[in-house]
Amino acid sequence: MRLSTYFLPTLKENPADATMASHRLMVRAGLIRPLAAGIYSWLPMGWRVMKKVMEIIREEMDAIGGQEFQLPALNPIEIWEETGRVEAFGDTLFHIKNRPLVLAPTHEEIFTTIARDNMKSYRDFPQIWYQIQTKFRNEPRPRSGVIRGRQFFMKDSYTFDRSFEELDKSYLLHREAYKKIYSRSGLKFFIVGASSGAMGGTGSQEFMVESVDGEDTCALCDDCGYAANLEVASSAVKPVGRLDDSRSIEEIHTPNAKTIDQVAAFLKVSTDRLAKSLVYKTDDTAVLILMAGNDQLNEAKLTAALGKGAVPMQPEELALSTGAGAGSIGPVGLKNFRIIADKRLEDANELISGANKDDYHIAHVDLMRDVKVDGYYDLRTISAGESCPGCGHQLRVVNAIEIGHIFKLGTKYSAALHASYLDEAGEEKPIVMGSYGIGVERIIACHIEQNHDDNGIKWDKAVSPFDVHLASVNMDNKDVVAAADKVYSDLKEAGIEVLYDDRQGVTPGFKFKDADLLGMPVQVIVGERNLKQGNIELKFRSTGERKVVPSAQVLSEIKSYLAN
RNA sequence: CGGGGCGUGGCUCAGCCCGGUUAGAGCGCUUGGUUCGGGACCAAGAGGUCGUGGGUUCGAAUCCCACCGCCCCGACCA
């Protein structure tokens, strides 16, 4: 491709509204242009990268027996109502105004419908179906360039099996395929145990790229490899436990002591002996949650424990239902509440909690004796430096970008949509499903996050829009042009993708800067200086290494570089 | 949705606080010339409803109100 005729708008200056390196560079290098918040146009250079990433995905999906579909983005709203996901998605689901249609944010419903209508016998299984489709989600706040958009490409696949055992196999196939996809895309990534969230199902894992700009937070053990999203991460923190000296409860006056630290200081006890009470409500139940000391409640874990979402109760409601304000609430004698507690407090005694009376606390609380605890769950948010639950090593807590998520869905969707088959015994069974997603844009953005410097992008050859950036330093010199033209045609003939900067009247410095910004792995620089000796210069973008070689060797040098 | 910031030629920004001629700069663009190995130089040009609407005023990019858009933090995030 000759740059003189290629549409490639590059920018010298950083766009004002881009903060992440990948976002800045994708705009500056002419990969994308913003159209509206969270909506981007892919320009020819960017689309080349997109197609390469999609091709890697296709190859690895096909390798595990995946079959590619292309499904509509416009869906009748009825099938989303059948699975209850119109409500589950809420405002995130785009609705069409003048038809009862929605724009699909994912495709469980349609794929399941196709399976339901066509997969009737146990002989039809297993199946792996996938597509690479534009998804639409009305994100409340799009951000970070293409990383969180309202319209984006997702590779989504779905497996259909007869049993949970067979689902495990399909799930593992995907896990391995995903590792290959991300490795081939030149990404450093890790896998974490994750929360299934509103997707439901029996288990899930996320593929993550460490990044200070990541929206997710993960706990990592560098020793044994434990890795989990903070939504589910646990640590080997000590339980509060029982003290031998168990006394009967006693109300104590604690004026102006509201926070855990204030109460602990006032009573001169360790914060661990305090049981903090938090009040949440679901659509039908008021819930009191007991946490040890200053432990932070993890709302994702709470949702998992309750089986549904819960929101903090407002101050007015608090006073009405407990008789006290936040800071003085406690489990003893509390009516009409479901009471649950963090595992750290399991069967603990000699605790101090609120008395449901402003400025009073109750001491010597024994959760086995004085409180009807409805269950102990892991509800706390772990923090950096706590011990790994696997090996005891200190955990690291890092931000990360989610680039893929694999779910064991089980029968949630097949049950809702009545997708069943007849087994060998002629018995009707629900289809067992898995669903697996990859954010295609995120692979590109993360690749740039991990491979760039102040001058621009450093593409890995696997996803680089072109293999070679050929620059002719002086287009007015006939010899230079002739030599560059020859390199261009030789490379093309050899099947190497080459971008040829043949622009007239562009100074060498400008061309070099553009070459570094665009970031092709190999630069071939044809200039008068070296050509006089019959030489041509190669520059390797990732290392900055330069090499002057005889013109006749250029092709073989490049071939061998690209081959390994 | 809460908090904050921004909106002025294609891009990056100044001017606004303290209203007053033809609204500026750099980059980019056009033409001519000189340059030609790390974002060249000279000269001449083109290009702007100052986000939109309303208000105050003799007079609004500038002050007031409303709305829209974009970015950041938070909430949210199959």
Side-chain angles (χ1 to χ4, degrees), chain A residues 18-64:
Chain A
T19 51
M20 275 180 85
S22 57
H23 187 192
R24 286 199 304 267
L25 288 170
M26 287 172 83
V27 175
R28 282 191 55 200
L31 271 54
I32 57 169
R33 280 296 180 268
L35 180 65
I39 306 175
Y40 290 87
S41 303
W42 286 83
L43 310 188
M45 185 71 94
W47 187 241
R48 288 182 76 94
V49 179
M50 182 76 85
K51 285 190 288 188
K52 294 210 173 179
V53 173
M54 288 176 172
E55 202 45 42
I56 290 174
I57 294 171
R58 279 199 182 93
E59 285 172 17
E60 295 302 334
M61 291 308 301
D62 291 350
I64 61 168

Side-chain angles (χ1 to χ4, degrees), chain A residues 172-191:
Chain A
L172 272 181
L173 280 175
H174 273 83
R175 197 171 182 275
E176 294 310 305
Y178 275 34
K179 287 187 194 167
K180 287 182 186 161
I181 289 166
Y182 297 124
S183 300
R184 285 183 60 189
S185 303
L187 290 180
K188 293 183 272 294
F189 66 95
F190 58 92
I191 304 173

Side-chain angles (χ1 to χ4, degrees), chain A residues 328-344:
Chain A
S328 299
I329 291 169
V332 178
L334 191 66
K335 300 269 191 300
N336 302 323
F337 270 79
R338 178 175 174 196
I339 298 173
I340 62 172
D342 180 62
K343 268 208 175 311
R344 254 192 103 191

Side-chain angles (χ1 to χ4, degrees), chain A residues 32 38 40-43 46-47 49-51 53-54 57-58 68 70 104-107 131-137 146-156 182 402-404 437-444:
Chain A
I32 57 169
Y40 290 87
S41 303
W42 286 83
L43 310 188
W47 187 241
V49 179
M50 182 76 85
K51 285 190 288 188
V53 173
M54 288 176 172
I57 294 171
R58 279 199 182 93
E68 187 170 4
Q70 189 56 229
T106 171
H107 280 81
Q131 63 166 349
I132 302 177
Q133 231 271 10
T134 303
K135 308 287 176 179
F136 299 88
R137 291 185 191 176
V146 298
I147 287 178
R148 181 170 289 276
R150 293 207 166 114
Q151 169 174 351
F152 56 97
F153 287 100
M154 178 186 278
K155 187 291 296 179
D156 48 326
Y182 297 124
E402 177 189 348
I403 50 174
I438 289 180
V440 187
E441 280 93 339
R442 288 184 177 186
I443 291 183
I444 299 172

Side-chain angles (χ1 to χ4, degrees), chain A residues 384-429:
Chain A
E386 291 178 3
S387 299
C388 171
C391 70
H393 193 265
Q394 280 204 343
L395 290 172
R396 269 198 313 139
V397 171
V398 301
N399 289 342
I401 298 166
E402 177 189 348
I403 50 174
H405 201 158
I406 54 180
F407 293 89
K408 293 181 185 176
L409 289 178
T411 56
K412 173 174 171 164
Y413 296 89
S414 48
L417 294 166
H418 312 293
S420 58
Y421 68 98
L422 294 181
D423 69 9
E424 293 92 324
E427 210 173 307
E428 187 169 337
K429 294 275 178 62

Side-chain angles (χ1 to χ4, degrees), chain A residues 28 77 106 111 117 143 157 208 233 269-270 296 345 360 366 369 382 407-408 442 446 465 468 482 499 521 542-544:
Chain A
R28 282 191 55 200
I77 195 166
T106 171
F111 268 114
D117 295 344
R143 71 190 96 168
S157 49
M208 291 287 191
V269 295
S270 148
Q296 292 298 303
L345 286 171
Y360 283 90
D366 183 339
R369 181 190 66 195
I382 71 144
F407 293 89
K408 293 181 185 176
R442 288 184 177 186
C446 288
V468 172
L499 181 67
S542 61
T543 59

Side-chain angles (χ1 to χ4, degrees), chain A residues 67-72 75-76 79 82 107-121 124-125 127-131 156 158 160 413-414 417-421 431 433:
Chain A
Q67 303 163 72
E68 187 170 4
F69 283 57
Q70 189 56 229
L71 264 36
N75 291 193
I79 60 172
E82 276 186 68
H107 280 81
E108 278 78 10
E109 276 76 1
I110 312 191
F111 268 114
T112 308
T113 302
I114 293 172
R116 174 189 67 193
D117 295 344
N118 299 285
M119 306 258 294
K120 290 298 177 190
S121 159
D124 297 332
F125 295 83
Q127 289 288 318
I128 299 176
W129 296 349
Y130 77 98
Q131 63 166 349
D156 48 326
Y158 306 82
F160 302 91
Y413 296 89
S414 48
L417 294 166
H418 312 293
S420 58
Y421 68 98
I431 299 176
M433 292 176 56

